[in-house]
Amino acid sequence: MDHFTYIDGQLHAESVPLSRIAEAAGTPTYVYSTATLVHHYRTFADAFAGQNATICYAVKANSNQAVIATLARQGAGADVLSEGELRRALKAGVPAAKIVFSGIGKSRREIALALEAGVGQINVESEPELELISALASARGAMAPIAIRVNPDVDAKTHEKITTGRKENKFGIALARAPEIYARAAALPGIEAVGVAIHIGSQLTELGPFGDAFTLAAGLVETLRGAGHPIRRLDLGGGLGIPYRDETPPSPADYAALVRETTGHLGVELVLEPGRLIAGNAGILLTRVLYVKQGTAKSFVVVDAGMNDLMRPALYDAWHRIVPVVEPAMGAPTAAVDVVGPVCETTDIFGHDRILPMLECDDLLAIRSAGAYGAVMASTYNTRPLVAEVLVKDDALAVIRARQDMAELLAMDRIPAWLGDESQ
Ligand SMILES: *Cc1c(COP(=O)(O)O)cnc(C)c1O
């Protein structure tokens, strides 16, 4: 469910017409709905009521501090993957104790910062990382609360590029080796192994792979406890899918019931890390038609957003619904068009053969389901400044990230002395 609907023939974000946002902030612009973010968070959190669960929103899905703060006000913790994400979560008001630091390549500096901030859990992805955390924590006289991320070798049955829990993926430590690693952790100074962590992939649309992975993780908790390790936490990662097109992912209630079924007997504290589920359908990318071009074989609608602004279609063949901001009249003529961006790459296509009303230059379109893995993945390819982000709440709108200034973007390059100052 989301709050992007037509009211009097105009697509709105909550009570704000998107045309007003285009005027206020220009295009392309990401637009997020507070009510949708909160609804998704609440639906998920309420499904886990009574299960001693902390919901740590996976900040990488959408790391705007206004988005994180909106969720933090609802009680969310954060799952972060870098110094930058950690700093964003802290600035947005997430208590350090509710922050999980994940990621397979944490630098020494990032681990030190996590220890200094006092994050609630550091997820360890390799033995050398475990040794480094031990060294840094004991040098500070601190105990690092860690979980080992195990790789359960389960096929998430999602897009190949977003599956993470198979043995050939780079993530985690093989399940079979876990007992040995926990024994090592117990012997190391500065390490308190509080939990077990898994995360098998993203955009899962079936419960089966989750069930397999949760069962394996629960079995490991019992094995470890049997070996004398006081494991009290189980971090089940994120990955629950959302409808982009005609997918029918499991409901948060069914997912929570599965978690209870597979882990309820353990009496562990649960950590859950949904990202896409919270933010995906809470955002759109608002874009303007630049040209309508009749090719010999196809018609193209060239819009002002490009693959650098929303990378998912080019990166994962992702499908995003594209809708006109002005609601087409019943029975109005339509055409099949390719909606393409201005970037000089053949993969800069948002949709093939989309049935849309007859569009003209300056018409506005909304690319739906762009709230997760949209703005966060943007680049300045083709020297296109990062786009603006707007958050709506009821009838109010706020620019939560200004469009990047072209002069600032250009000023980041420096001409070395040997080239002289011909460019001045
Ligand atoms: C990406 C990621 C998530 C969030 O995944 P979603 O599919 O967006 O829910 C959670 N945990 C970890 C460790 C991740 O890498």
Side-chain angles (χ1 to χ4, degrees):
M1 201 204 105
D2 63 68
H3 291 77
F4 295 95
T5 51
Y6 289 107
I7 302 172
D8 297 333
Q10 285 279 334
L11 191 59
H12 284 59
E14 303 190 20
S15 303
V16 182
L18 290 175
S19 54
R20 200 173 110 207
I21 297 177
E23 267 167 45
T27 56
T29 290
Y30 279 98
V31 181
Y32 311 126
S33 151
T34 298
T36 313
L37 286 166
V38 170
H39 171 74
H40 290 160
Y41 177 78
R42 288 258 58 96
T43 303
F44 193 85
D46 292 350
F48 280 93
Q51 283 201 72
N52 190 13
T54 303
I55 317 296
C56 293
Y57 165 63
V59 164
K60 78 169 186 283
N62 184 323
S63 58
N64 190 292
Q65 289 164 68
V67 170
I68 304 172
T70 298
L71 298 168
R73 301 294 183 279
Q74 298 294 318
D79 172 59
V80 303
L81 293 155
S82 66
E83 172 181 350
E85 287 190 358
L86 174 56
R87 291 191 187 281
R88 282 175 188 262
L90 291 169
K91 280 187 77 176
V94 180
K98 281 197 196 176
I99 297 180
V100 174
F101 200 142
S102 303
I104 76 150
K106 299 175 205 76
S107 68
R108 173 181 281 266
R109 173 191 161 98
E110 287 175 321
I111 294 167
L113 178 70
L115 292 170
E116 186 185 319
V119 301
Q121 181 175 310
I122 302 179
N123 286 354
V124 178
E125 298 239 6
S126 69
E127 292 156 275
E129 185 192 354
L130 181 65
E131 305 283 336
L132 178 58
I133 295 171
S134 164
L136 294 175
S138 38
R140 310 175 61 87
M143 289 298 281
I146 63 114
I148 307 280
R149 175 164 175 188
V150 294
N151 183 329
D153 192 21
V154 166
D155 184 353
K157 301 205 177 74
T158 181
H159 191 282
E160 189 196 348
K161 288 183 181 164
I162 49 177
T163 191
T164 58
R166 283 183 313 196
K167 62 178 184 300
E168 54 273 36
N169 297 133
K170 68 180 179 180
F171 301 99
I173 289 174
L175 192 71
R177 293 209 48 225
E180 185 194 324
I181 313 289
Y182 277 88
R184 177 69 185 141
L188 282 171
I191 295 287
E192 188 193 3
V194 296
V196 167
I198 57 168
H199 171 71
I200 60 169
S202 197
Q203 185 54 14
L204 274 73
T205 53
E206 296 170 33
L207 280 182
F210 283 125
D212 295 345
F214 298 169
T215 300
L216 288 166
L220 176 62
V221 170
E222 289 182 309
T223 304
L224 295 172
R225 283 178 172 171
H229 303 289
I231 304 295
R232 57 181 157 85
R233 209 179 281 163
L234 184 51
D235 176 347
L236 296 174
L240 189 54
I242 63 169
Y244 283 95
R245 189 176 191 174
D246 46 16
E247 303 91 333
T248 49
S251 67
D254 289 346
Y255 175 81
L258 176 74
V259 171
R260 187 190 288 278
E261 209 175 286
T262 49
T263 71
H265 58 290
L266 298 171
V268 282
E269 298 165 30
L270 295 167
V271 174
L272 299 145
E273 303 171 346
R276 188 189 308 273
L277 179 89
I278 308 284
N281 277 321
I284 58 122
L285 177 56
L286 182 61
T287 185
R288 205 179 271 287
V289 174
L290 296 174
Y291 301 103
V292 179
K293 165 172 158 169
Q294 309 297 335
T296 44
K298 290 207 153 204
S299 294
F300 298 97
V301 171
V302 186
V303 297
D304 63 0
M307 64 183 280
N308 68 300
D309 306 313
L310 175 62
M311 210 180 162
R312 297 188 68 258
L315 188 63
Y316 311 129
D317 306 315
W319 193 95
H320 286 263
R321 191 174 303 284
I322 303 172
V323 298
V325 164
V326 175
E327 189 173 22
M330 285 274 264
T334 58
V337 294
D338 282 10
V339 179
V340 304
V343 172
C344 286
E345 294 285 344
T346 303
T347 54
D348 186 24
I349 297 193
F350 291 117
H352 290 278
D353 294 324
R354 297 303 179 87
I355 308 299
L356 285 167
M358 308 310 282
L359 293 165
E360 290 176 14
C361 175
D362 284 339
D363 284 348
L364 291 169
L365 295 174
I367 304 177
R368 302 290 312 259
S369 308
Y373 307 107
V376 286
M377 281 192 181
S379 76
T380 58
Y381 185 41
N382 279 201
T383 311
R384 291 166 48 83
L386 297 176
V387 305
E389 294 177 276
V390 164
L391 181 64
V392 168
K393 185 175 190 298
D394 305 322
D395 58 0
L397 73 91
V399 175
I400 58 171
R401 186 180 73 191
R403 192 174 304 281
Q404 189 176 20
D405 183 67
M406 179 68 85
E408 273 171 31
L409 174 59
L410 296 180
M412 291 180 78
D413 294 357
R414 305 290 156 79
I415 305 296
W418 67 80
L419 288 172
D421 57 1
E422 307 260 321
S423 60
Q424 302 302 306

